[in-house]
Amino acid sequence: MYGGSQNDGNSLFSGGGFMPSQATQTPDSGVSPAKSRGTQGVLPLTVKQISEAFHSSDDKSGFVIDGVDASNVRLLGMVTKKMERVTDVSFTLDDGTGRIDVNRWVNEAAETNEMAAITNGMYVKVNGNLKGFQGKRHVVAFSVRPVTDFNDITNHFLECIHIHLCNTRLQYSAPSSMGGSENDIYNLVLGVFQEPASVASEHGLHVDEVARRLGIPMNKIKDAINYHVDIGHIYSTIDDNHFKSACNG
């Protein structure tokens, strides 16, 4: 599934993301890829994640995925429908979760040579800028590199999972706008579950017991419990009313 004319893998992947020398000054919709890149990192994503992205509230040209900026992205998948033109090369990338169109400007010899090595059926790693037009997403690539090691495919999807979990878990942290009393309730509820007697209990604590001990309305107890379950501090045991601390030490 890999092209036989690929370059040495060490040179292809030594830099991880895009390299400064690969920047192109060709504008896309009035903004050059080099400028749009700025100092932002490259976010590893799947096509499915991109299909679920939404516009940032303050910039309709930008996208947000899992609460973070998704301007610069890294994708990995198989090339299909490659089409060469005088100033650019386009193709469709299929990563198993979906398909997305990719465009690579080729105004310099190095860019032309890079894309000449790319063929249909080849797996590639794409770094680029996520764009949207008339409701359809596409990527303007900074670089397109052949994959020479199957481990890169596995590593990419593991990266996507890891970053997704990190970014979504961060959203469960208590909002800065939350009042002090609500933060106190969350801490009090967690404290009850982390008491040695509660940790030692085989089935944990019933929500009624937590409410009785703290003297706090049940709806607030359940809000706090749901919060701590979501971020992994506690978990349900024998039914939906018994919970136990995930900390066993």
Side-chain angles (χ1 to χ4, degrees):
M1 301 177 77
Y2 296 91
S5 63
Q6 297 164 6
N7 298 323
D8 177 71
N10 291 332
S11 63
L12 290 175
F13 302 107
S14 59
F18 57 78
M19 304 297 290
S21 61
Q22 296 160 359
T24 171
Q25 299 300 320
T26 303
D28 177 71
S29 300
V31 180
S32 71
K35 180 179 179 181
S36 64
R37 240 180 291 175
T39 59
Q40 300 169 353
V42 180
L43 187 66
L45 294 171
T46 65
V47 176
K48 184 177 187 299
Q49 286 177 295
I50 288 177
S51 70
E52 297 172 349
F54 59 90
H55 289 289
S56 56
S57 59
D58 58 340
D59 182 4
K60 293 302 181 182
S61 65
F63 290 93
V64 172
I65 297 176
D66 293 334
V68 300
D69 176 79
S71 296
N72 299 328
V73 300
R74 179 165 67 247
L75 300 172
L76 189 151
M78 186 175 70
V79 174
T80 63
K81 301 179 181 178
K82 181 186 177 185
M83 182 178 298
E84 299 182 10
R85 289 176 287 269
V86 176
T87 59
D88 70 292
V89 176
S90 64
F91 60 90
T92 299
L93 186 81
D94 186 340
D95 72 350
T97 72
R99 297 178 178 181
I100 191 169
D101 292 333
V102 179
N103 178 268
R104 174 73 162 113
W105 295 105
V106 288
N107 294 317
E108 299 179 2
E111 298 164 347
T112 301
N113 293 337
E114 174 185 287
M115 294 308 301
I118 305 302
T119 60
N120 287 326
M122 178 183 290
Y123 276 77
V124 296
K125 183 182 294 185
V126 175
N127 291 310
N129 188 246
L130 181 60
K131 299 286 187 178
F133 181 70
Q134 295 182 343
K136 186 177 181 181
R137 288 85 195 269
H138 67 280
V139 173
V140 177
F142 308 140
S143 66
V144 181
R145 303 296 182 87
V147 172
T148 60
D149 186 341
F150 273 109
N151 290 326
D152 286 326
I153 299 175
T154 303
N155 289 339
H156 173 76
F157 286 103
L158 288 175
E159 276 189 315
C160 292
I161 294 169
H162 175 71
I163 295 299
H164 167 70
L165 291 175
C166 288
N167 289 336
T168 53
R169 177 161 291 190
L170 284 174
Q171 294 179 51
Y172 284 118
S173 59
S176 58
S177 60
M178 180 181 291
S181 60
E182 290 187 66
N183 268 321
D184 290 343
I185 292 173
Y186 281 33
N187 292 331
L188 287 171
V189 169
L190 182 60
V192 172
F193 284 105
Q194 291 182 337
E195 290 177 357
S198 302
V199 172
S201 174
E202 180 180 359
H203 302 308
L205 290 176
H206 193 287
V207 291
D208 289 343
E209 174 65 11
V210 179
R212 184 189 65 79
R213 291 174 58 178
L214 295 177
I216 294 173
M218 181 60 72
N219 64 316
K220 293 186 178 295
I221 293 292
K222 289 186 175 180
D223 284 345
I225 287 175
N226 289 336
Y227 164 79
H228 289 300
V229 168
D230 285 339
I231 64 174
H233 288 164
I234 63 176
Y235 61 94
S236 61
T237 57
I238 57 175
D239 57 33
D240 292 338
N241 292 315
H242 284 81
F243 298 86
K244 189 173 181 179
S245 172
C247 176
N248 297 318

